[in-house]
């Protein structure tokens, strides 16, 4: 916990913190503003007694307990989603899954396609396609490289005076990027992620750093995969922003844009005004959420 003057104070959490509207496996997250009771004496330790109301937050399905939520960060101005085209190969659906976490609070997302020093002709083409696809729905897309500095001055400018969550899969270069932007932090890079063998991460914590040109940045551990046990099908539909914008033209108000007659989203996909890739990822997530709900309902049979 950081005091207003910058001092870092070790704190424990006491009792039951009252939280506004969500239950998470971690009651306090990076970016939370809290009230602290200083311990007696001069130990410079304290207890967190209250979490102040959050302006926004990003939660994901807990990687350990699929029926619980994990708080990634709170009170952020924007997120930088770091991804790559090669080393590691682009996992296309990941971008859309990530956007499903930031969309409920309208958190702006900058999509950084990293390691541009490795781009050949084919990668440049893929990058161009992604840029058009995501900027059409209002997300800035840029390429960067910590190796040759490409894109970094622009990125620094975007981070200035903001609190930014940096996230992405392991190995895409998040920690290297933060170390390059803000020398001296000495973040560990190229960490081998601890993999329990059950297909899930065992550690998840994020850390916030001050940028010397203004602002804060939050480094997060690599995300292996994003599932959405916490969402209902309509939540998914409402948080694909261009689908939601179009859905007022669907015949049925609760249209899930699958096989319903008179679906304006499907027409838009056929006409190419909505990305068919986004639509594919949407259907995939929807079917996962459906399956989960199905097994929930039938687990006692
Ligand atoms: N070619 C290239 N490799 C990079 C770049 N940035 C990081 N790497 C390498 O990618 C690997 C993973 O980097 P790291 O920062 O630990 O990724 P993180 O897991 O996202 O934090 C390391 O071997 C880095 O040296 C880059 O801009 N270009
Ligand atoms: Mg890292
Ligand atoms: Zn529809």
């Amino acid at each position: 916990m950081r005091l207003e003057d910058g001092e870092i104070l070790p704190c424990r959490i006491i009792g039951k913190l009252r939280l506004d509207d969500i239950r998470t496996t971690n009651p306090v997250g990076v970016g939370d503003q809290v009230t602290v009771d200083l311990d007696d004496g001069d130990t410079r330790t304290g207890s967190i007694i209250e979490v102040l109301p959050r302006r926004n937050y990003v939660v994901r399905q807990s990687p350990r307990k699929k029926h619980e939520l994990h708080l990634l960060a709170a009170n952020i101005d924007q997120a930088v989603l770091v991804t790559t085209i090669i080393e590691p190969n682009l996992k296309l659906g990941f971008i859309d899954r990530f956007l499903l976490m930031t969309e409920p609070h309208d958190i702006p997302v900058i999509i950084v396609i990293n390691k541009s020093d490795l781009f050949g002709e084919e990668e440049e083409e893929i990058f161009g396609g992604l840029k058009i696809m995501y900027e059409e729905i209002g997300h800035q897309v840029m390429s960067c490289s910590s190796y040759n500095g490409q894109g970094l001055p622009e990125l620094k400018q975007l981070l200035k005076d903001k609190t930014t969550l940096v996230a992405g899969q392991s190995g895409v270069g998040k920690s290297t990027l933060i170390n390059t932007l803000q020398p001296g932090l000495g973040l560990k890079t190229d960490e081998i992620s601890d993999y329990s063998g059950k297909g899930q991460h065992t550690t998840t914590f994020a850390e916030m750093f001050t940028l010397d040109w203004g602002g804060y940045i939050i480094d997060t551990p690599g995300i292996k995969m994003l599932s959405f046990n916490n969402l209902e099908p309509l939540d998914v539909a409402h948080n694909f922003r261009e689908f939601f914008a179009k859905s007022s033209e669907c015949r049925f108000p609760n249209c899930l844009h699958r096989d319903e007659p008179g679906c304006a989203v499907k027409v838009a996909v056929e006409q190419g005004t909505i990305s068919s890739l986004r639509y594919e990822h949407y259907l995939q997530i929807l079917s996962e959420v459906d399956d989960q709900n199905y097994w929930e309902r039938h687990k006692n049979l």
Side-chain angles (χ1 to χ4, degrees):
M1 141 79 226
R2 187 197 306 264
L3 298 181
E4 270 159 42
D5 63 8
E7 187 191 347
I8 306 286
L9 197 72
C11 277
R12 62 187 165 273
I13 299 168
I14 56 158
K16 236 168 90 186
L17 296 170
R18 198 155 352 109
L19 286 177
D20 25 32
D21 47 353
I22 49 162
R23 274 180 55 97
T24 51
T25 51
N26 49 341
V28 185
V30 179
D32 261 329
Q33 292 188 307
V34 298
T35 310
V36 168
D37 231 2
L38 286 182
D39 293 342
D40 292 335
D42 51 10
T43 54
R44 305 307 292 161
T45 56
S47 303
I48 293 174
I49 54 170
E50 184 192 16
V51 177
L52 301 182
R54 295 172 178 135
R55 177 156 62 90
N56 62 31
Y57 52 81
V58 179
V59 290
R60 59 173 297 198
Q61 179 184 316
S62 163
R64 276 170 287 183
K65 299 179 189 161
K66 71 174 198 159
H67 294 292
E68 292 182 31
L69 289 174
H70 179 82
L71 176 65
L72 270 183
N75 302 313
I76 59 173
D77 295 310
Q78 58 187 8
V80 165
L81 172 60
V82 183
T83 179
T84 51
I85 295 173
I86 40 172
E87 294 186 23
N89 286 343
L90 177 68
K91 282 221 195 95
L92 247 184
F94 190 79
I95 298 177
D96 293 328
R97 284 175 190 264
F98 184 82
L99 295 175
L100 202 42
M101 292 198 300
T102 50
E103 198 65 12
H105 286 273
D106 272 326
I107 295 164
V109 176
I110 301 161
I111 301 170
V112 164
I113 314 289
N114 201 23
K115 308 196 185 183
S116 63
D117 55 287
L118 300 173
F119 287 8
E121 221 170 280
E122 194 188 337
E123 289 76 26
E124 288 291 354
E125 212 165 282
I126 295 171
F127 170 72
L130 290 171
K131 193 170 165 67
I132 291 169
M133 174 174 161
Y134 286 104
E135 292 198 340
E136 239 163 23
I137 56 169
H139 300 293
Q140 185 167 355
V141 180
M142 56 186 295
S143 60
C144 280
S145 166
S146 302
Y147 282 17
N148 64 21
Q150 193 257 318
L152 299 191
E154 195 188 346
L155 184 57
K156 268 182 106 156
Q157 206 47 47
L158 290 169
L159 300 179
K160 188 173 163 47
D161 300 329
K162 301 250 168 83
T163 299
T164 305
L165 171 75
V166 179
Q169 295 178 293
S170 298
V172 294
K174 294 180 296 296
S175 302
T176 308
L177 189 63
I178 294 173
N179 278 337
T180 311
L181 291 166
Q182 178 60 68
L185 291 178
L187 300 187
K188 268 201 226 141
T189 59
D190 214 7
E191 286 169 275
I192 295 159
S193 60
D194 40 10
Y195 198 65
S196 68
K198 281 182 259 164
Q200 283 162 5
H201 269 292
T202 50
T203 51
T204 17
F205 70 94
E207 211 174 343
M208 186 186 278
F209 305 98
T210 309
L211 300 171
D212 61 18
W213 66 98
Y216 300 93
I217 202 162
I218 300 167
D219 187 25
T220 61
I223 299 172
K224 198 130 249 150
M225 60 164 180
L226 290 170
S227 308
F228 296 96
N229 199 45
N230 53 312
L231 299 183
E232 295 292 327
L234 260 184
D235 297 325
V236 181
H238 287 174
N239 288 295
F240 270 66
R241 54 168 67 172
E242 74 280 33
F243 296 20
F244 183 63
K246 198 86 197 147
S247 63
S248 60
E249 296 168 34
C250 294
R251 186 175 307 161
F252 300 106
N254 287 344
C255 186
L256 289 173
H257 323 308
R258 273 192 292 213
D259 305 313
E260 296 90 337
C263 173
V265 169
K266 270 187 87 165
V267 171
V269 172
E270 276 151 27
Q271 291 173 344
T273 52
I274 282 182
S275 156
S276 56
L277 266 175
R278 287 261 296 164
Y279 185 62
E280 233 174 74
H281 300 150
Y282 168 79
L283 291 180
Q284 176 60 38
I285 296 169
L286 212 55
S287 77
E288 289 170 19
V289 168
D290 259 359
D291 286 349
Q292 281 160 349
N293 288 348
Y294 178 85
W295 290 113
E296 278 316 295
R297 281 196 301 272
H298 294 83
K299 68 183 168 191
N300 295 324
L301 294 185

